[in-house]
Amino acid sequence: MCVLLSCNLFSSILPTGEICVIPRGIVFRVEVEEQVRGYMLESFQGHFCLPDLGPIGSNGLANARDFEYPTASFEEMQGDVKMYNKFCGKLYKKHIRRSPFDVVAWHGNYLPFKYNLKNFCTMNTVSYDHPDPSIFTVLSCPSEIVGESAVDFVIFPTRWMVAEHTFRPPYFHRNYMSEFMGMVAGKYDAKVGFSAGGASLHCCMSAHGPDKETTERAEGFSRALSWRCFLDFSFDDLILHFAAAELGPAKFEDGLAFMFETSAILKPTPQAMACSFRDMQYKECWKGFARRSLHR
């Protein structure tokens, strides 16, 4: 499946697995030949940029060389055209007698760009422990607070998992950021039944993690495993004892999931809350967990 994306600077085909970033003020049109599903994020502050790689160095994650910028194209057409504009949370419509895509050239670098997620250079641990999902950040939109993102775009692509003495699926947690998850294709490695086109929302400080089936499969039953859980609080360290399968290198290539992670509080619309396909039993995926023993 793909869509044809046109704007007042260029036209481009956007197939499954690619993203496009459209700056504010750019007029655009989306054309489809068949039914498609997709995800859209609108940021109200800042601009998307590559994340700071820090000690990773100059290369890795989303490399600048893999982003595609358009060449100029234009459209000559006379006739009734409806344009929709969003302002202060409301949509407005106006009629014009020509195509808005009649710009034949431009000067500057304020323009849309696209990126194929297959080009993402994944980083992961080669020793132990589960890295924070920020290691999979494609683009980040900084906020006015240093060190805090307005929103990060994170993906969970094909990757090798080789960590030893580690619970490999995303661990149970709650955090400052709100997390909107989506599934582009395939299946998610931490949630059974999370299908392409689906979405989940875990708001700020809402505890969540992998479902019972994924957790038990990751733990296994072949040998005992213990590790130290480091907390951000001045509590004594906890040693958690689990039964775990023998861990060898494993390649995950069954799906492509993504996450919009934001410091904003996301409020679902009435349409989302009332939709007929909303999963009303979502929380049941964490039902039936056996209590683990904790030792000081």
Side-chain angles (χ1 to χ4, degrees):
M1 295 186 296
C2 64
V3 301
L4 175 62
L5 180 67
S6 302
C7 72
N8 52 344
L9 300 174
F10 80 108
S11 293
S12 180
I13 294 176
L14 201 67
T16 300
E18 290 191 0
I19 62 169
C20 183
V21 176
I22 304 175
R24 296 180 188 88
I26 301 294
V27 179
F28 67 93
R29 177 181 66 205
V30 177
E31 299 177 71
V32 298
E33 294 183 352
E34 58 181 323
Q35 185 179 17
V36 298
R37 289 183 178 182
Y39 302 88
M40 183 173 66
L41 169 73
E42 183 179 13
S43 176
F44 293 90
Q45 61 175 307
H47 296 281
F48 279 103
C49 60
L50 293 174
D52 185 358
L53 297 184
I56 292 177
S58 59
N59 301 299
L61 307 186
N63 291 304
R65 65 175 182 266
D66 293 321
F67 286 84
E68 299 181 49
Y69 284 82
T71 54
S73 66
F74 63 94
E75 176 182 89
E76 289 186 290
M77 188 269 289
Q78 300 294 320
D80 184 45
V81 176
K82 288 180 287 187
M83 288 185 60
Y84 294 87
N85 183 58
K86 185 177 181 181
F87 183 72
C88 292
K90 295 183 179 181
L91 288 176
Y92 298 86
K93 180 177 68 174
K94 71 174 182 178
H95 293 263
I96 60 175
R97 300 299 300 170
R98 59 173 177 79
S99 169
F101 308 134
D102 56 358
V103 178
V104 297
W106 73 86
H107 176 73
N109 56 10
Y110 190 77
L111 70 166
F113 56 86
K114 72 173 189 173
Y115 176 74
N116 190 333
L117 298 177
K118 292 181 179 179
N119 293 326
F120 188 76
C121 182
T122 310
M123 301 287 166
N124 210 346
T125 182
V126 292
S127 54
Y128 70 95
D129 215 345
H130 193 291
D132 287 338
S134 55
I135 199 69
F136 303 123
T137 300
V138 179
L139 293 169
S140 181
C141 186
S143 72
E144 297 176 352
I145 302 175
V146 177
E148 178 185 285
S149 296
V151 62
D152 290 328
F153 173 59
V154 180
I155 64 172
F156 303 97
T158 296
R159 61 196 182 277
W160 279 97
M161 295 178 286
V162 299
E164 298 180 305
H165 308 296
T166 298
F167 180 76
R168 286 180 178 175
Y171 44 71
F172 294 87
H173 66 285
R174 61 184 187 135
N175 56 329
Y176 175 74
M177 307 287 273
S178 295
E179 300 177 359
F180 177 92
M181 289 283 300
M183 198 72 205
V184 177
K187 60 184 181 181
Y188 184 45
D189 60 334
K191 197 81 75 207
V192 175
F194 192 49
S195 304
S200 67
L201 174 61
H202 299 133
C203 290
C204 169
M205 294 301 174
S206 298
H208 58 282
D211 59 23
K212 182 174 181 288
E213 181 177 336
T214 302
T215 301
E216 291 178 345
R217 184 169 63 247
E219 291 175 357
F221 302 100
S222 65
R223 65 183 175 86
L225 170 68
S226 65
W227 69 86
R228 188 170 297 273
C229 175
F230 296 96
L231 303 178
D232 291 330
F233 309 98
S234 58
F235 299 151
D236 293 334
D237 290 338
L238 302 176
I239 305 299
L240 288 79
H241 297 278
F242 292 96
E246 195 69 39
L247 294 178
K251 188 176 184 180
F252 177 78
E253 51 186 348
D254 296 330
L256 174 61
F258 75 90
M259 179 168 67
F260 296 141
E261 189 174 52
T262 175
S263 54
I265 301 297
L266 300 180
K267 181 181 179 181
T269 63
Q271 293 89 337
M273 297 300 292
C275 67
S276 60
F277 49 84
R278 180 182 166 204
D279 185 1
M280 303 300 293
Q281 305 299 320
Y282 179 65
K283 66 179 184 299
E284 299 299 315
C285 70
W286 295 297
K287 189 176 181 179
F289 274 96
R291 182 176 177 81
R292 274 65 172 177
S293 60
L294 303 178
H295 302 275
R296 288 193 178 275

